[in-house]
Amino acid sequence: MANKLTFDAIVVGGGPAGTSAAITMARAGLQTILIERGRFAGAKNFFGGVLYTHALDAVLPDWQSRGPALERPVTDTGYWLLSPDSVLRFTQKSERFKKVPAESYTALRANFDPWFAQQAVDLGVLVITKTTVTGFLRDEKGRVIGVTTDRPDGDVYAPVVIIAEGVNNLLTQQLGLAKSDLPPRFVALSVKEYLGLPEKEVEARFGLSGPDEGVAIDVFGDATLGLPGTGFIYTDRAGISIGCGLLLEQLVINNLKPYEILARFKNHPIIKPYLEGAERLEYGAHLIPETGYDRMPTLYTDGVMVAGDAAGMVDALHREGTNLAMIAGKIAGETAVEAHKQRNFSAEFLKEYRRRLQDSFVLKDLKQYRRMTDFLDSTPHFMETYVNFANEAAYRYFTAHGMAKRDMEKEIIRLLTRRRSFLGVAVDMIKLLRGMRG
Ligand SMILES: Cc1cc2nc3c(=O)[nH]c(=O)nc-3n(C[C@H](O)[C@H](O)[C@H](O)COP(=O)(O)OP(=O)(O)OC[C@H]3O[C@@H](n4cnc5c(N)ncnc54)[C@H](O)[C@@H]3O)c2cc1C
């Protein structure tokens, strides 16, 4: 990089948020540079994971004709309640899931992110990898006018910077927009393995008729030892993604190692047969921000906007993060384009970014689930109590034991109250409703 490199806009981070912002600005004609610290975009990223096409449509309407790096359409969604020895499955298969393109696809970030970044390059974005943004350049009034990098001649100037640095939001903190590192109560640690398996074998094990079908299963209960968190199993083209995530604080309190929980999940008698003979091709751990609406960083300041995980934009309940990141990146990009038209990069102007997010599902959903992490934190027994109870109740109710069904119903109620009093159940349900209604 030569000294005094000047662009219309700088994007920090080549994940879904940053690349979406860069694509949006390039399409509107802004000279845009995207700086990524990894060897390539995606080198440091992984997720479950399911990508949502509504977000791709919004950012890159012709994405289908660009050979997207996706694994399988999700045609079968499942919620499994796993107890130590059984599973209660809720799955949905629908003709609507068969539409092309599907509403969601499984993907591997090591493939998807480089493809997405390449689309930005094709649209004119300069993507610089192996470069870490270390700080900010300011004018005499203290306004951000560019970034410093770890390259000796690596200062880059632009009137607007979009920070999309992910969950470890050190730059956001440097600007004072986030007050501190994420507290362990409000961040989950997730571990995942990508296991290789022949395509036909994946299909046979999950009841899929071909590569145009795929499943996404969220697993509650014993996947995380009954602690607040979830497990997941997603089918990729020739492999399976399996993982689990728990709030960091729960790992500390219970002195648990995340990789041991995943190993236990994989060895669960119900889960193990799905994975038999599969070869581990990828293994990793990553944090997920669960800070929620009330603890989000400030989203803008003079010359700067923050998008995606860096701003805590994750709806963990619906395993949505990439779509929030992409839409926030797009809105930040559009706001930057408007700022250029008005030649106004002040915080006063950029607050339009937050206003537009507020009109979108991004901040509406985060606001609605603002109490969800508090709910999980204050009811650590929830998964174990109710998932195990549901399995036991279903087993008793749907098998014949020579007992009158009315007596069985009383027995099932006793089963519940042995685990939790009526008052305790009522309090848990009220807390759950409050967690879901904001
Ligand atoms: C295990 C797991 C499962 C998940 N499952 C799903 C799912 O199924 N569906 C879903 O929608 N979401 C899922 N998510 C969440 C989703 O992955 C994130 O919300 C999403 O990746 C956020 O995108 P982002 O662009 O904000 O950040 P990231 O994807 O983290 O990208 C940030 C980028 O910035 C770069 N960077 C950081 N600092 C610097 C710097 N100083 N200089 C230059 N570059 C920098 C990083 O290298 C990285 O490439 C999951 C997350 C995890 C961990």
Side-chain angles (χ1 to χ4, degrees):
M1 272 184 219
N3 271 335
K4 205 65 183 157
L5 260 181
T6 305
F7 289 82
D8 291 333
I10 298 167
V11 177
V12 184
T19 304
S20 297
I23 286 175
T24 304
M25 292 187 288
R27 281 160 56 102
L30 296 193
Q31 293 293 316
T32 305
I33 183 170
L34 185 155
I35 306 174
E36 164 58 45
R37 65 183 173 154
R39 255 183 326 115
F40 55 89
K44 292 183 173 286
N45 303 344
F46 87 87
F47 79 151
V50 178
L51 279 169
Y52 303 94
T53 53
H54 77 86
L56 275 172
D57 287 339
V59 175
L60 195 62
D62 60 345
W63 63 271
Q64 288 177 73
S65 61
R66 292 170 172 265
L70 301 170
E71 294 291 310
R72 283 175 186 269
V74 177
T75 53
D76 200 329
T77 53
Y79 299 91
W80 289 8
L81 305 184
L82 191 70
S83 80
D85 63 357
S86 71
V87 67
L88 192 56
R89 294 174 183 169
F90 298 90
T91 59
Q92 185 175 29
K93 225 180 164 83
S94 161
E95 283 303 301
R96 276 177 289 173
F97 290 153
K98 288 190 179 157
K99 81 180 172 81
V100 179
E103 273 146 17
S104 55
Y105 286 81
T106 54
L108 298 167
R109 296 285 298 276
N111 299 336
F112 176 80
D113 286 16
W115 169 81
F116 203 31
Q118 184 57 45
Q119 308 317 304
V121 172
D122 292 349
L123 289 162
V125 175
L126 178 64
V127 174
I128 300 288
T129 55
K130 293 186 242 168
T131 305
T132 301
V133 171
T134 50
F136 297 93
L137 299 162
R138 293 171 186 272
D139 67 8
E140 66 290 347
K141 290 191 174 148
R143 293 176 298 207
V144 170
I145 50 163
V147 299
T148 57
T149 71
D150 61 353
R151 295 206 181 198
D153 54 353
D155 291 355
V156 188
Y157 291 82
V160 62
V161 178
I162 296 177
I163 302 177
E165 60 182 332
V167 59
N168 288 316
N169 58 2
L170 301 176
L171 295 169
T172 311
Q173 289 181 45
Q174 209 184 101
L175 287 174
L177 299 175
K179 299 291 171 241
S180 62
D181 280 339
L182 295 174
R185 265 179 74 195
F186 298 116
V187 60
L189 178 63
S190 212
V191 277
K192 170 193 160 170
E193 288 184 19
Y194 168 53
L195 305 171
L197 209 56
E199 223 174 292
K200 291 279 171 232
E201 197 54 41
V202 174
E203 287 155 11
R205 290 184 192 189
F206 289 89
L208 308 171
S209 64
D212 292 336
E213 294 193 354
V215 302
I217 302 161
D218 290 325
V219 189
F220 302 97
D222 206 51
T224 54
L225 293 167
L227 293 166
T230 38
F232 57 83
I233 303 171
Y234 305 137
T235 55
D236 298 302
R237 184 74 171 221
I240 297 168
S241 289
I242 180 164
C244 56
L246 278 99
L247 288 177
L248 210 49
E249 188 173 73
Q250 290 297 328
L251 290 170
V252 175
I253 291 173
N254 295 289
N255 196 19
L256 293 168
K257 298 183 178 61
Y259 50 88
E260 286 175 359
I261 300 176
L262 178 55
R264 193 177 164 281
F265 178 35
K266 284 172 57 191
N267 276 310
H268 188 287
I270 304 279
I271 305 298
K272 199 172 173 183
Y274 289 99
L275 314 175
E276 216 73 82
E279 183 195 359
R280 182 189 298 145
L281 299 177
E282 194 182 298
Y283 188 98
H286 205 283
L287 295 174
I288 304 177
E290 300 201 6
T291 30
Y293 186 82
D294 294 333
R295 301 170 202 91
M296 283 180 92
T298 306
L299 297 180
Y300 58 89
T301 183
D302 290 320
V304 174
M305 287 171 277
V306 188
D309 275 15
M313 294 174 182
V314 169
D315 169 1
L317 185 66
H318 295 91
R319 67 157 138 67
E320 291 181 27
T322 53
N323 54 340
L324 279 74
M326 287 161 89
I327 297 300
K330 176 177 186 270
I331 295 176
E334 287 167 350
T335 310
V337 171
E338 214 36 56
H340 266 279
K341 282 188 191 147
Q342 308 291 328
R343 301 299 309 156
N344 185 349
F345 304 96
S346 65
E348 185 54 28
F349 186 85
L350 298 183
K351 78 176 180 204
E352 175 65 7
Y353 167 52
R354 188 183 169 101
R355 196 202 58 71
R356 288 197 50 202
L357 279 175
Q358 237 144 4
D359 280 348
S360 76
F361 77 97
V362 175
L363 287 193
K364 282 184 184 161
D365 286 355
L366 290 173
K367 194 170 181 184
Q368 174 169 343
Y369 298 117
R370 67 203 299 172
R371 294 207 178 99
M372 207 58 209
T373 310
D374 290 319
F375 161 71
L376 291 173
D377 189 52
S378 66
T379 52
H381 60 275
F382 191 86
M383 299 280 186
E384 185 177 26
T385 304
Y386 296 104
V387 169
N388 289 352
F389 165 71
N391 271 279
E392 191 60 30
Y395 165 70
R396 293 190 188 223
Y397 200 70
F398 296 116
T399 47
H401 301 274
M403 186 192 271
K405 293 296 176 228
R406 177 134 317 158
D407 294 337
M408 182 58 84
E409 283 162 15
K410 287 182 191 150
E411 176 66 19
I412 288 172
I413 290 171
R414 267 197 298 277
L415 263 178
L416 177 60
T417 50
R418 240 180 270 141
R419 288 163 204 263
R420 198 99 176 107
S421 67
F422 274 127
L423 184 62
V425 173
V427 169
D428 290 346
M429 293 308 141
I430 290 167
K431 281 187 177 173
L432 175 63
L433 278 179
R434 288 184 66 199
M436 295 185 73
R437 299 314 313 169

